[in-house]
Amino acid sequence: MNTTRSRQTVRLTLRLTLAGAVVAAAAAASTIVMVGPGQAVVVTEFGRPVKVLTHPGLAWKIPAPVEQTIPVDLRLRTTSSGLQDVGTKEGLRILVQAYVAWQVDDDPLHVEQFLRAGHSDPDDTARRLRSFIGSTLQVTASNFNLTDLINIAPSRARFADFERQLQANLYKQVLDTYGIRIVETGVERLSLPAETLAATVARMRTERETVAAQRTAEGLRKASAIRSDAARDAKLIAAKADEQVAEIEAQGREKAAAIHAKAYVLDPQLYTMLRSLDTLGAIVGPKTRVILRTDSEPFKALVQALPAAGTAAAPTPAPTDRPPGPRVLSSLQWNGQWLPIR
């Protein structure tokens, strides 16, 4: 009997010890706080935040219901604004879709601010961020012209400035309101409505036509200058050539006159005959038909015999009451051709 009671006492003691151990373990577990990577834990005392744990590891707290914990996700997340209809500086409408990479700032004050704003759910926070992004896009786009965002000249495009200004406008506003830090902001898509596209195409056409007109005017100006220079040079060259021709002709006439004078001094009659033949060659051609007296100048040389050297010319017969009939020469060989004369 005593043995049975002893066994029961031992069993009861074991059960009590085990229950105490379980209670102690449960109490110890309720006082331990585990902080994982990319996470913050807010310790509240009767619902009021008293401590923010941001470093991974273990920490201690008073067991519930005195102190409780609220986990806060600090990992990086992204949110898209969707297509937003905004206006540019010159009043044109554009469609812009931006993305935002954000996370809850690990500063304890910002973590508490995030909880006070009631954004413990990341999806709810993303929905609220979209409204901020839409209004900020409108403010930022009003500081830029359409050509600053869409331009074929890279030097005139200011797309990077647009993204930086968008992030700067959004950063402080979101951080002060929700305790969220904006890590990166960018534009996913940019398009034009139909009316804006038509206005843009018309402006681009006008700009191209202006550039084409300027280049055409420049080309015409250069062409006119080239033609003017060419005409001036041509006149100078022609004047110089005329001067050289006149000089050469004058020298030729001077030499010819000297040769003629020398020939006339040597034999005046031969000179006279040769000059007459030159005149005849200049007047008579292959198809020339002339009827002249053979004893008249310059055809007199055709029938008049050349006097012998050292003898005087035969005296001209005295005219009679009845002039003799003309002597007609039927043909003449001149420069290798037989020329009929009638």
Side-chain angles (χ1 to χ4, degrees):
M1 191 69 175
N2 293 331
T3 305
T4 302
R5 288 180 179 179
S6 298
R7 289 179 179 176
Q8 291 178 351
T9 302
V10 171
R11 289 176 181 176
L12 181 59
T13 304
L14 290 175
R15 289 176 181 176
L16 292 175
T17 303
L18 182 58
V22 172
V23 171
S30 65
T31 61
I32 296 175
V33 179
M34 178 178 293
V35 182
Q39 185 183 45
V41 175
V42 179
V43 180
T44 61
E45 185 179 56
F46 300 111
R48 180 176 60 86
V50 294
K51 184 169 50 176
V52 178
L53 305 175
T54 58
H55 297 287
L58 297 176
W60 302 95
K61 71 176 183 64
I62 300 174
V66 179
E67 290 185 349
Q68 294 182 351
T69 60
I70 302 175
V72 177
D73 194 348
L74 301 181
R75 290 177 298 178
L76 188 66
R77 296 178 179 272
T78 58
T79 301
S80 178
S81 66
L83 279 176
Q84 301 290 327
D85 188 352
V86 297
T88 60
K89 189 175 183 180
E90 66 266 47
L92 298 175
R93 309 303 299 179
I94 60 175
L95 300 177
V96 183
Q97 180 175 342
Y99 72 90
V100 174
W102 61 274
Q103 63 182 166
V104 179
D105 193 57
D106 57 0
D107 186 359
L109 295 177
H110 291 154
V111 174
E112 291 183 15
Q113 187 177 10
F114 177 75
L115 288 179
R116 291 193 186 99
H119 295 163
S120 57
D121 184 10
D123 294 334
D124 181 59
T125 303
R127 284 191 296 270
R128 300 201 181 198
L129 276 176
R130 291 190 187 99
S131 63
F132 272 92
I133 299 173
S135 60
T136 307
L137 276 173
Q138 178 62 55
V139 173
T140 306
S142 63
N143 297 327
F144 292 85
N145 293 320
L146 183 60
T147 53
D148 296 332
L149 305 178
I150 302 175
N151 204 304
I152 60 175
S155 60
R156 296 181 58 187
R158 299 175 56 198
F159 207 83
D161 295 339
F162 178 84
E163 292 181 334
R164 282 193 293 267
Q165 192 173 129
L166 176 64
Q167 181 172 348
N169 293 338
L170 193 62
Y171 185 89
K172 184 173 177 56
Q173 187 178 10
V174 174
L175 185 64
D176 295 342
T177 305
Y178 299 136
I180 295 174
R181 181 166 58 89
I182 302 299
V183 178
E184 184 178 349
T185 303
V187 175
E188 290 183 281
R189 181 181 175 186
L190 191 150
S191 60
L192 302 176
E195 60 275 8
T196 304
L197 182 60
T200 303
V201 172
R203 187 181 69 242
M204 292 174 65
R205 183 183 296 112
T206 302
E207 292 178 353
R208 295 299 95 191
E209 290 175 353
T210 302
V211 173
Q214 291 176 351
R215 293 183 178 179
T216 301
E218 181 67 18
L220 293 176
R221 186 188 64 79
K222 291 183 179 179
S224 177
I226 292 173
R227 284 193 293 267
S228 177
D229 294 341
R232 182 197 60 200
D233 295 342
K235 290 181 179 179
L236 292 176
I237 293 173
K240 187 174 182 180
D242 292 340
E243 181 182 356
Q244 293 178 352
V245 168
E247 183 178 356
I248 293 173
E249 288 179 350
Q251 293 177 357
R253 286 192 295 269
E254 182 180 357
K255 290 182 180 179
I259 294 173
H260 290 167
K262 186 176 181 181
Y264 182 80
V265 171
L266 293 177
D267 196 337
Q269 294 181 354
L270 178 61
Y271 176 79
T272 302
M273 184 188 69
L274 292 178
R275 293 295 291 176
S276 299
L277 292 177
D278 290 340
T279 304
L280 184 63
I283 295 175
V284 178
K287 297 182 180 181
T288 303
R289 298 292 184 268
V290 294
I291 299 176
L292 295 172
R293 291 176 58 89
T294 57
D295 57 352
S296 61
E297 296 292 346
F299 301 101
K300 181 180 177 180
L302 297 177
V303 296
Q304 183 179 0
L306 183 66
T311 61
T316 304
T320 61
D321 295 337
R322 186 178 181 181
R327 299 173 60 187
V328 179
L329 185 65
S330 62
S331 63
L332 171 66
Q333 187 178 10
W334 179 254
N335 290 336
Q337 295 182 1
W338 286 96
L339 304 177
I341 299 177
R342 296 178 183 176

